Amino acid sequence: MLFACSPVTAWVDSPLGPVLLAASSKGLCGAWFEGQRHLPDSSRWSEQQKHPVLLQAQQALSLYFAGSGPTLDFSLDLSQGTDFQQLVWRALLQIPRGSSTSYSALSKRIGKPRAQRAVGAAVGRNPLSIFVPCHRVLGLDGSLTGYAGGLGRKISLLTQEGCSFRHTTPQRNASH
């Protein structure tokens, strides 16, 4: 993912491993687990542990892992995605904690019922893990499909939220 601007960053600890947070002038623009697929090269980005948006995001993650939220008392910057990706990411924000949806249902929700694969690709490129809850997207039968942060983390996130899912070995390697 190429960023038009150079975000400021901070690494924070979480129960599921370190998370790289990134903020632009528009808001939180990234939250990736260490080792996550599609983790951008942040070596040229400025680290600012005390940046207000990054501090708010860190607090939101703490609340989330304590069993609530994340509360979004700050803006999310989804502008690094294509128009289609942004449409999908905004739809992900509508999935309530403790529930899930399928790629098919998500495709229908955004008015593109035949775009299930494209929706899957957009879900996989979500730059804001946890904050934009792509982990709540499951196979049509409720099975785990994939997660850019690793299936173990997806299972942990869904379990923490009390979301039911079919714990099976995925049939194929999903892109998210």
Side-chain angles (χ1 to χ4, degrees), residues 62-73:
S62 294
L63 290 171
Y64 173 83
F65 284 112
S68 64
T71 55
L72 297 178
D73 298 333

Side-chain angles (χ1 to χ4, degrees), residues 88-110:
V88 172
W89 299 339
R90 283 191 301 274
L92 291 172
L93 289 167
Q94 304 308 310
I95 307 168
R97 182 185 177 103
S99 63
S100 64
T101 193
S102 68
Y103 298 98
S104 175
L106 197 56
S107 297
K108 291 173 186 168
R109 181 179 295 165
I110 64 167

Side-chain angles (χ1 to χ4, degrees), residues 14-91:
S14 85
L16 300 179
V19 175
L20 175 64
L21 297 175
S24 71
S25 61
K26 297 178 185 176
L28 187 69
C29 63
W32 302 272
F33 287 105
E34 182 177 52
Q36 179 170 327
R37 190 177 309 132
H38 312 301
L39 177 70
D41 177 7
S42 62
S43 61
R44 296 181 187 256
W45 297 350
S46 171
E47 188 166 329
Q48 292 187 21
Q49 294 288 335
K50 301 295 183 191
H51 188 278
V53 171
L54 300 179
L55 289 172
Q56 289 174 310
Q58 184 174 359
Q59 177 66 25
L61 282 177
S62 294
L63 290 171
Y64 173 83
F65 284 112
S68 64
T71 55
L72 297 178
D73 298 333
F74 50 90
S75 296
L76 297 179
D77 177 3
L78 302 176
S79 67
Q80 302 308 318
T82 65
D83 289 344
F84 181 79
Q85 288 172 326
Q86 291 178 48
L87 178 66
V88 172
W89 299 339
R90 283 191 301 274

